[in-house]
Amino acid sequence: MITQNVDRLHFKAGSKPIELHGTTHEIICLNCGELTDRHLFQNRVKKLNPEWARAVEALESGEAGSDANFGMRIRPDGDLDIHERFFRKENFYIPDCKKCNGILKPNVVFFGDNVPKPRVDLCMSLARSADALLVVGSSVMTMSALRLVRAAADMGAPIAILNIGPTRADDLAHLKISARSGEVLPQLLDMGSMSVPSS
């Protein structure tokens, strides 16, 4: 399984996919590549910024949008919506890498970044050797995902797509199901298999 999700949702479900675009659960140093658990990093941020830590605690205790938390709200995707007045504070500190003092960022591939080559090579190898490819819940809009579908198609693997709405790989699909994955996948599991036409 290869996922474009960066939230470790598949891990919570018991799978161990390759995270094509990385994960928000790790922090990476742009200089030395050292990986840090996001929670450990957040603890360092809180220690360096006690006012921020109190604001986060206020948010976690249910005071969304209050003065106690600088107007922060938790968005549906888990990110924080921070009021601009917080950014006027000149005393917010971001930790450096403990190993080399380098700059840290979430271990995700942002738009415009490249997927690390070893990960690309592994995913391309899997796509090229697949007997079939099932795309679930993706519009396949990123080139990194589209390349994988193209690689499987070039090797003659049947492609099935389960997604609401069009995808960038629709022209490669032997089977396209426009429906919610949460409705279709349980039925597929009950059936035990799915036959994908090869032409």
Side-chain angles (χ1 to χ4, degrees), residues 80-96:
L80 288 179
D81 184 16
I82 303 173
H83 194 278
E84 67 180 60
R85 68 184 168 172
F86 180 79
F87 292 111
R88 293 188 191 136
K89 303 213 173 277
E90 295 178 11
N91 59 345
F92 187 80
Y93 302 100
I94 299 173
D96 294 331

Side-chain angles (χ1 to χ4, degrees), residues 2 120-130 133 143-159 169 172:
I2 300 169
V120 169
D121 292 344
L122 174 60
C123 292
M124 288 298 282
S125 173
L126 291 170
R128 287 185 182 118
S129 65
L133 186 72
M143 182 53 75
S144 52
L146 180 60
R147 265 192 207 110
L148 298 176
V149 179
R150 285 179 177 166
D154 287 348
M155 299 307 290
I159 310 293
L172 300 172

Side-chain angles (χ1 to χ4, degrees), residues 38 42 45-46 49-76 78-87 89 92:
R38 178 180 175 174
Q42 289 297 122
V45 171
K46 288 178 181 179
N49 302 283
E51 190 177 15
W52 166 263
R54 286 190 298 276
V56 170
E57 286 173 15
L59 180 64
E60 290 172 347
S61 69
E63 297 180 43
S66 73
D67 286 339
N69 63 39
F70 305 105
M72 290 189 293
R73 296 180 187 279
I74 298 176
R75 296 186 349 206
D79 286 345
L80 288 179
D81 184 16
I82 303 173
H83 194 278
E84 67 180 60
R85 68 184 168 172
F86 180 79
F87 292 111
K89 303 213 173 277
F92 187 80

